[in-house]
Each structure stands twice: as C-alpha cells, then as structure tokens.
Coordinates of all heavy atoms in Angstrom, one line a residue:
M1 N 8.1 -8.8 15.3 CA 7.6 -9.9 14.6 C 8.3 -11.2 14.9 O 7.7 -12.3 15.0 CB 7.7 -9.7 13.1 CG 7.1 -10.7 12.2 SD 7.1 -10.2 10.5 CE 7.3 -11.7 9.8
V2 N 9.6 -11.1 15.3 CA 10.3 -12.3 15.7 C 9.8 -12.8 17.0 O 9.6 -14.1 17.1 CB 11.8 -11.9 15.8 CG1 12.6 -13.0 16.4 CG2 12.4 -11.5 14.5
L3 N 9.5 -12.0 17.9 CA 8.9 -12.4 19.2 C 7.5 -13.1 19.0 O 7.2 -14.1 19.6 CB 8.8 -11.3 20.1 CG 10.0 -10.8 20.8 CD1 9.8 -9.5 21.6 CD2 10.7 -11.8 21.6
S4 N 6.7 -12.5 18.1 CA 5.4 -13.2 17.8 C 5.6 -14.5 17.1 O 4.8 -15.4 17.4 CB 4.5 -12.2 17.1 OG 5.0 -12.0 15.8
C5 N 6.6 -14.6 16.2 CA 6.8 -15.9 15.6 C 7.3 -17.0 16.6 O 6.8 -18.1 16.6 CB 7.9 -15.8 14.5 SG 7.3 -15.1 13.0
L6 N 8.2 -16.6 17.5 CA 8.7 -17.5 18.5 C 7.6 -17.8 19.5 O 7.4 -19.0 19.9 CB 9.9 -16.9 19.2 CG 11.2 -16.7 18.4 CD1 12.2 -16.0 19.2 CD2 11.7 -18.1 18.0
G7 N 6.8 -16.9 19.8 CA 5.6 -17.1 20.7 C 4.6 -18.0 20.1 O 4.1 -18.9 20.7
G8 N 4.4 -17.8 18.8 CA 3.4 -18.7 18.1 C 3.9 -20.1 18.0 O 3.2 -21.1 18.2
L9 N 5.2 -20.3 17.7 CA 5.8 -21.6 17.6 C 5.8 -22.3 19.0 O 5.5 -23.5 19.1 CB 7.2 -21.5 17.1 CG 7.4 -21.3 15.6 CD1 8.9 -21.1 15.2 CD2 6.8 -22.4 14.8
L10 N 6.1 -21.5 20.0 CA 6.1 -22.1 21.3 C 4.7 -22.5 21.7 O 4.5 -23.6 22.3 CB 6.7 -21.1 22.3 CG 6.9 -21.5 23.8 CD1 7.9 -22.6 23.8 CD2 7.3 -20.3 24.6
G11 N 3.7 -21.6 21.4 CA 2.3 -21.9 21.8 C 1.8 -23.2 21.0 O 1.1 -24.0 21.6
V12 N 2.1 -23.3 19.7 CA 1.7 -24.4 19.0 C 2.4 -25.7 19.5 O 1.8 -26.7 19.6 CB 2.0 -24.2 17.5 CG1 1.9 -25.5 16.7 CG2 1.1 -23.2 16.9
G13 N 3.7 -25.6 19.8 CA 4.4 -26.7 20.3 C 3.9 -27.2 21.7 O 3.7 -28.4 21.9
I14 N 3.6 -26.2 22.5 CA 3.0 -26.6 23.9 C 1.7 -27.2 23.7 O 1.3 -28.2 24.3 CB 3.0 -25.4 24.8 CG1 4.4 -25.0 25.2 CG2 2.2 -25.7 26.0 CD1 4.5 -23.7 26.0
G15 N 0.8 -26.6 22.8 CA -0.5 -27.2 22.6 C -0.5 -28.6 22.1 O -1.2 -29.4 22.5
L16 N 0.4 -28.8 21.1 CA 0.5 -30.1 20.5 C 1.0 -31.1 21.5 O 0.6 -32.3 21.6 CB 1.3 -30.1 19.2 CG 0.7 -29.4 18.0 CD1 1.7 -29.4 16.9 CD2 -0.6 -30.0 17.6
G17 N 2.0 -30.7 22.3 CA 2.6 -31.5 23.3 C 1.6 -31.9 24.4 O 1.5 -33.1 24.8
I18 N 0.7 -31.0 24.8 CA -0.3 -31.3 25.8 C -1.3 -32.2 25.2 O -1.8 -33.2 25.9 CB -0.9 -30.0 26.3 CG1 0.0 -29.2 27.2 CG2 -2.2 -30.3 27.1 CD1 -0.4 -27.8 27.6
A19 N -1.7 -32.0 23.9 CA -2.7 -32.9 23.3 C -2.1 -34.3 23.2 O -2.9 -35.3 23.4 CB -3.1 -32.3 21.9
K20 N -0.9 -34.4 22.8 CA -0.3 -35.7 22.7 C -0.2 -36.4 24.0 O -0.4 -37.6 24.1 CB 1.1 -35.6 22.1 CG 1.7 -36.8 21.5 CD 0.9 -37.2 20.3 CE 1.9 -37.7 19.3 NZ 1.2 -38.5 18.3
S21 N 0.2 -35.7 25.1 CA 0.3 -36.3 26.4 C -1.0 -36.7 27.0 O -1.1 -37.7 27.7 CB 1.1 -35.4 27.4 OG 0.4 -34.2 27.6
V22 N -2.1 -35.9 26.7 CA -3.4 -36.3 27.1 C -3.8 -37.6 26.5 O -4.4 -38.5 27.1 CB -4.4 -35.2 26.8 CG1 -5.8 -35.6 26.9 CG2 -4.2 -34.0 27.8
S23 N -3.5 -37.7 25.2 CA -3.9 -38.9 24.5 C -3.1 -40.1 24.9 O -3.6 -41.3 24.9 CB -3.8 -38.7 22.9 OG -2.5 -38.6 22.6
V24 N -1.9 -39.9 25.3 CA -1.1 -41.0 25.8 C -1.5 -41.5 27.2 O -1.6 -42.7 27.5 CB 0.4 -40.6 25.8 CG1 1.3 -41.6 26.6 CG2 0.9 -40.5 24.4
F25 N -1.8 -40.6 28.1 CA -2.0 -40.9 29.5 C -3.5 -41.1 29.8 O -3.9 -41.4 30.9 CB -1.5 -39.8 30.4 CG 0.0 -39.8 30.4 CD1 0.7 -38.7 30.0 CD2 0.8 -40.9 30.8 CE1 2.1 -38.6 29.9 CE2 2.1 -40.8 30.8 CZ 2.8 -39.7 30.3
S26 N -4.4 -41.0 28.8 CA -5.8 -41.2 29.1 C -6.4 -42.0 28.0 O -5.8 -42.3 27.0 CB -6.6 -39.9 29.3 OG -6.6 -39.2 28.0
S27 N -7.7 -42.3 28.1 CA -8.3 -43.1 27.1 C -8.9 -42.2 26.0 O -9.6 -42.7 25.1 CB -9.4 -44.0 27.7 OG -10.4 -43.1 28.3
L28 N -8.7 -40.9 26.1 CA -9.2 -39.9 25.1 C -8.4 -40.0 23.8 O -7.2 -40.1 23.9 CB -9.2 -38.5 25.7 CG -10.1 -38.3 26.9 CD1 -9.8 -36.8 27.4 CD2 -11.5 -38.4 26.5
T29 N -9.1 -39.8 22.7 CA -8.4 -39.7 21.5 C -8.4 -38.2 21.0 O -9.5 -37.7 20.9 CB -9.1 -40.6 20.4 OG1 -9.1 -41.9 20.8 CG2 -8.3 -40.5 19.1
I30 N -7.3 -37.7 20.9 CA -7.2 -36.3 20.5 C -6.8 -36.1 19.1 O -5.9 -36.8 18.6 CB -6.1 -35.5 21.4 CG1 -6.3 -35.7 22.9 CG2 -6.0 -34.1 21.0 CD1 -7.5 -35.1 23.4
S31 N -7.6 -35.3 18.4 CA -7.3 -35.1 17.0 C -7.1 -33.6 16.8 O -7.7 -32.8 17.5 CB -8.4 -35.6 16.0 OG -9.6 -34.9 16.3
Y32 N -6.2 -33.2 15.9 CA -6.0 -31.8 15.6 C -5.8 -31.6 14.2 O -5.4 -32.5 13.4 CB -4.8 -31.2 16.4 CG -3.5 -32.1 16.4 CD1 -2.6 -32.0 15.3 CD2 -3.3 -33.0 17.4 CE1 -1.5 -32.8 15.3 CE2 -2.2 -33.8 17.4 CZ -1.3 -33.7 16.3 OH -0.2 -34.5 16.3
S33 N -6.2 -30.4 13.7 CA -6.2 -30.0 12.3 C -4.9 -29.2 12.0 O -4.7 -28.2 12.7 CB -7.4 -29.3 12.0 OG -7.4 -28.7 10.7
W34 N -4.2 -29.5 11.1 CA -3.0 -28.8 10.7 C -3.4 -27.4 10.1 O -2.6 -26.4 10.2 CB -2.1 -29.5 9.8 CG -1.4 -30.7 10.5 CD1 -1.6 -32.0 10.4 CD2 -0.4 -30.6 11.5 NE1 -0.8 -32.7 11.2 CE2 0.0 -31.9 11.9 CE3 0.3 -29.5 12.0 CZ2 0.9 -32.1 12.9 CZ3 1.3 -29.7 13.0 CH2 1.6 -31.0 13.4
S35 N -4.5 -27.4 9.4 CA -5.0 -26.1 8.9 C -5.3 -25.1 10.0 O -5.0 -23.9 9.9 CB -6.1 -26.3 7.9 OG -7.2 -26.8 8.6
V36 N -5.9 -25.6 11.0 CA -6.2 -24.7 12.2 C -5.0 -24.3 12.9 O -4.8 -23.1 13.3 CB -7.2 -25.3 13.1 CG1 -7.4 -24.5 14.4 CG2 -8.6 -25.6 12.5
T37 N -4.0 -25.2 13.0 CA -2.7 -24.9 13.6 C -2.0 -23.8 12.8 O -1.4 -22.9 13.4 CB -1.9 -26.2 13.7 OG1 -2.6 -27.2 14.4 CG2 -0.6 -25.9 14.4
L38 N -2.0 -23.9 11.5 CA -1.4 -22.9 10.7 C -2.1 -21.6 10.8 O -1.4 -20.5 10.8 CB -1.3 -23.4 9.2 CG -0.7 -22.5 8.2 CD1 0.8 -22.3 8.5 CD2 -0.9 -23.0 6.8
L39 N -3.4 -21.6 10.8 CA -4.2 -20.4 11.0 C -3.8 -19.7 12.3 O -3.7 -18.5 12.3 CB -5.7 -20.7 10.9 CG -6.6 -19.5 11.0 CD1 -6.5 -18.6 9.8 CD2 -8.0 -20.0 11.3
V40 N -3.7 -20.4 13.4 CA -3.4 -19.8 14.7 C -2.0 -19.2 14.6 O -1.7 -18.1 15.1 CB -3.5 -20.9 15.8 CG1 -2.9 -20.4 17.1 CG2 -5.0 -21.3 15.9
F41 N -1.1 -19.9 14.0 CA 0.3 -19.4 13.9 C 0.4 -18.1 13.0 O 1.0 -17.2 13.4 CB 1.2 -20.5 13.3 CG 2.6 -20.0 13.1 CD1 3.4 -19.8 14.2 CD2 3.2 -19.9 11.9 CE1 4.7 -19.4 14.1 CE2 4.5 -19.4 11.7 CZ 5.3 -19.2 12.8
L42 N -0.4 -18.1 11.9 CA -0.4 -16.9 11.1 C -1.1 -15.8 11.8 O -0.7 -14.6 11.6 CB -1.1 -17.2 9.8 CG -0.3 -18.2 8.8 CD1 -1.2 -18.5 7.6 CD2 1.0 -17.6 8.5
F43 N -2.1 -16.1 12.6 CA -2.7 -15.0 13.4 C -1.8 -14.4 14.4 O -1.7 -13.2 14.6 CB -4.0 -15.6 14.1 CG -4.7 -14.6 14.9 CD1 -5.5 -13.6 14.2 CD2 -4.7 -14.6 16.3 CE1 -6.2 -12.7 14.9 CE2 -5.4 -13.6 17.0 CZ -6.2 -12.7 16.3
S44 N -0.9 -15.3 15.0 CA 0.1 -14.8 15.9 C 1.1 -13.8 15.2 O 1.4 -12.8 15.8 CB 0.8 -16.0 16.5 OG 2.0 -15.6 17.1
I45 N 1.5 -14.2 14.0 CA 2.4 -13.3 13.2 C 1.7 -12.0 12.9 O 2.3 -10.9 13.0 CB 2.8 -14.0 12.0 CG1 3.8 -15.2 12.4 CG2 3.6 -13.1 11.0 CD1 4.2 -16.1 11.2
L46 N 0.4 -12.1 12.5 CA -0.4 -10.9 12.2 C -0.5 -9.9 13.4 O -0.3 -8.7 13.2 CB -1.8 -11.3 11.7 CG -2.7 -10.1 11.3 CD1 -2.2 -9.4 10.1 CD2 -4.1 -10.6 11.1
I47 N -0.7 -10.5 14.5 CA -0.8 -9.6 15.7 C 0.6 -9.0 16.0 O 0.6 -7.8 16.3 CB -1.2 -10.5 17.0 CG1 -2.7 -10.9 16.8 CG2 -1.1 -9.7 18.3 CD1 -3.7 -9.8 16.7
G48 N 1.6 -9.7 15.8 CA 3.0 -9.1 16.0 C 3.3 -8.0 15.0 O 3.9 -7.0 15.3
I49 N 2.8 -8.2 13.7 CA 3.0 -7.1 12.7 C 2.2 -5.9 13.1 O 2.7 -4.8 13.0 CB 2.7 -7.7 11.3 CG1 3.7 -8.7 10.9 CG2 2.6 -6.5 10.3 CD1 3.3 -9.4 9.6
I50 N 0.9 -6.1 13.4 CA 0.0 -4.9 13.7 C 0.5 -4.2 14.9 O 0.7 -2.9 14.9 CB -1.4 -5.4 13.9 CG1 -2.0 -5.9 12.6 CG2 -2.3 -4.3 14.5 CD1 -3.3 -6.6 12.7
F51 N 0.8 -4.8 16.0 CA 1.2 -4.1 17.2 C 2.7 -3.8 17.3 O 3.1 -3.1 18.2 CB 0.8 -5.0 18.5 CG -0.7 -5.0 18.7 CD1 -1.4 -6.1 18.4 CD2 -1.3 -3.9 19.3 CE1 -2.8 -6.1 18.6 CE2 -2.7 -3.9 19.5 CZ -3.4 -5.0 19.2
G52 N 3.4 -4.1 16.2 CA 4.8 -3.7 16.1 C 4.9 -2.6 15.1 O 5.7 -1.7 15.3
A53 N 4.2 -2.6 14.0 CA 4.3 -1.7 12.9 C 3.7 -0.3 13.3 O 4.3 0.7 13.0 CB 3.7 -2.2 11.7
F54 N 2.5 -0.3 13.9 CA 1.9 1.0 14.2 C 2.7 1.8 15.2 O 2.9 3.0 14.9 CB 0.5 0.7 14.7 CG -0.5 0.4 13.7 CD1 -1.5 -0.6 13.9 CD2 -0.4 0.9 12.4 CE1 -2.4 -0.9 12.9 CE2 -1.3 0.5 11.4 CZ -2.3 -0.4 11.7
P55 N 3.2 1.3 16.3 CA 4.0 2.1 17.2 C 5.3 2.5 16.5 O 5.8 3.7 16.7 CB 4.3 1.3 18.4 CG 3.2 0.3 18.4 CD 2.9 0.0 17.0
A56 N 5.9 1.7 15.7 CA 7.1 2.0 15.0 C 6.9 3.1 14.0 O 7.7 4.0 13.8 CB 7.7 0.8 14.3
N57 N 5.8 3.1 13.3 CA 5.5 4.1 12.3 C 5.2 5.4 13.0 O 5.7 6.5 12.6 CB 4.2 3.7 11.5 CG 3.9 4.7 10.4 OD1 4.8 5.3 9.9 ND2 2.7 4.7 10.0
K58 N 4.6 5.4 14.1 CA 4.3 6.6 14.9 C 5.6 7.2 15.4 O 5.9 8.4 15.4 CB 3.4 6.4 16.1 CG 3.0 7.6 16.8 CD 2.0 7.2 17.9 CE 1.7 8.5 18.8 NZ 0.8 8.1 19.9
A59 N 6.5 6.3 15.9 CA 7.8 6.8 16.5 C 8.7 7.3 15.4 O 9.5 8.2 15.6 CB 8.5 5.6 17.2
S60 N 8.6 6.8 14.2 CA 9.4 7.3 13.1 C 9.1 8.7 12.7 O 9.9 9.4 12.0 CB 9.4 6.3 11.9 OG 8.1 6.4 11.3
K61 N 7.9 9.1 13.0 CA 7.5 10.5 12.6 C 7.8 11.5 13.6 O 7.6 12.7 13.4 CB 6.0 10.5 12.3 CG 5.6 9.6 11.1 CD 4.1 9.6 10.9 CE 3.8 8.7 9.7 NZ 2.3 8.6 9.5
L62 N 8.3 11.1 14.8 CA 8.6 12.0 15.8 C 10.0 12.7 15.6 O 10.9 12.0 15.1 CB 8.6 11.3 17.2 CG 7.3 10.9 17.7 CD1 7.5 10.1 19.0 CD2 6.4 12.0 18.0
N63 N 10.2 13.9 16.1 CA 11.5 14.5 16.1 C 12.3 13.9 17.3 O 11.8 13.9 18.4 CB 11.3 16.0 16.3 CG 12.6 16.8 16.3 OD1 13.7 16.2 16.1 ND2 12.5 18.1 16.4
P64 N 13.4 13.4 17.0 CA 14.2 12.7 18.1 C 14.5 13.6 19.3 O 14.4 13.1 20.5 CB 15.5 12.2 17.5 CG 15.2 12.2 16.0 CD 14.2 13.2 15.8
I65 N 14.8 14.8 19.1 CA 15.1 15.7 20.2 C 13.8 16.0 21.0 O 13.9 15.9 22.3 CB 15.6 17.1 19.7 CG1 16.9 16.8 18.8 CG2 15.9 18.0 20.8 CD1 18.0 16.2 19.6
Q66 N 12.7 16.2 20.4 CA 11.5 16.4 21.1 C 11.0 15.2 21.8 O 10.5 15.2 22.9 CB 10.3 16.9 20.1 CG 10.6 18.2 19.6 CD 10.5 19.3 20.7 OE1 9.9 19.2 21.7 NE2 11.2 20.4 20.4
A67 N 11.2 14.0 21.2 CA 10.8 12.7 21.9 C 11.7 12.5 23.1 O 11.1 12.0 24.1 CB 11.0 11.6 20.9
L68 N 12.9 12.9 23.1 CA 13.8 12.7 24.3 C 13.4 13.7 25.4 O 13.6 13.4 26.6 CB 15.2 12.8 23.9 CG 15.8 11.6 23.1 CD1 17.2 12.0 22.6 CD2 15.8 10.4 23.9
R69 N 12.9 14.9 25.0 CA 12.6 15.9 26.0 C 11.3 15.6 26.7 O 11.0 16.0 27.8 CB 12.5 17.2 25.4 CG 13.9 17.8 25.1 CD 13.8 19.3 24.7 NE 15.0 19.7 24.3 CZ 15.2 20.7 23.5 NH1 14.2 21.4 23.0 NH2 16.4 21.1 23.1
H70 N 10.4 14.9 26.0 CA 9.1 14.6 26.5 C 9.2 13.6 27.7 O 9.9 12.7 27.7 CB 8.2 14.0 25.4 CG 6.7 13.9 25.8 ND1 6.3 13.0 26.8 CD2 5.7 14.5 25.4 CE1 5.0 13.2 26.9 NE2 4.6 14.1 26.1
E71 N 8.4 14.0 28.8 CA 8.5 13.1 30.0 C 7.3 12.3 30.1 O 6.2 12.6 29.9 CB 8.7 14.0 31.2 CG 10.0 14.7 31.2 CD 10.2 15.5 32.5 OE1 9.5 15.2 33.5 OE2 11.0 16.4 32.5

C-alpha cells in the first residue's frame, strides 16, 4: 500500500507538472479537476490494497515448511 501511495502521488505530481508546463510553454489553457485527481489517487491506493492483500492472505494460510520446500 505504501508503494501504491507513493506511486499515486508521483503520478499525480508528474501529471500536474506536465499540465502546468504545457500551459506555460504553449497557448493552451489546461484545467484540471481536484475531484478527479483525488479519485485517481484513491484508485491507486485501492489497487495497492487489492493486489497486496490477496497474495498476503493466501501466503498467511500456507504452512511455512511446505512453502519453503515447494519449488
């Protein structure tokens, strides 16, 4: 979840930075919605929880000795 939070923050930061630089260096006016930005960030966290919790739950049910023997 920490990695997905950091990735989400990095992605939002890069996206906003690119949008700001496009508006500065061109005649285009870029607008962005904070609600969509928050939604994308929360989606990033949700993906991190889903793809982190399911494998962790499955691994917690394994016998450690058998898991180490499995190739």
Side-chain angles (χ1 to χ4, degrees):
M1 187 171 144
V2 172
L3 287 175
S4 66
C5 282
L6 291 175
L9 284 174
L10 185 65
V12 167
I14 289 172
L16 291 176
I18 289 172
K20 198 69 142 161
S21 64
V22 164
S23 68
V24 167
F25 293 117
S26 70
S27 62
L28 297 173
T29 303
I30 305 295
S31 65
Y32 45 87
S33 169
W34 288 108
S35 60
V36 173
T37 305
L38 179 64
L39 180 70
V40 169
F41 178 68
L42 292 177
F43 184 72
S44 165
I45 292 173
L46 178 68
I47 294 297
I49 290 171
I50 290 172
F51 287 102
F54 286 142
N57 187 25
K58 185 177 177 183
S60 71
K61 294 178 182 177
L62 292 176
N63 182 358
I65 302 300
Q66 291 297 332
L68 289 173
R69 285 189 188 156
H70 189 291
E71 293 182 22

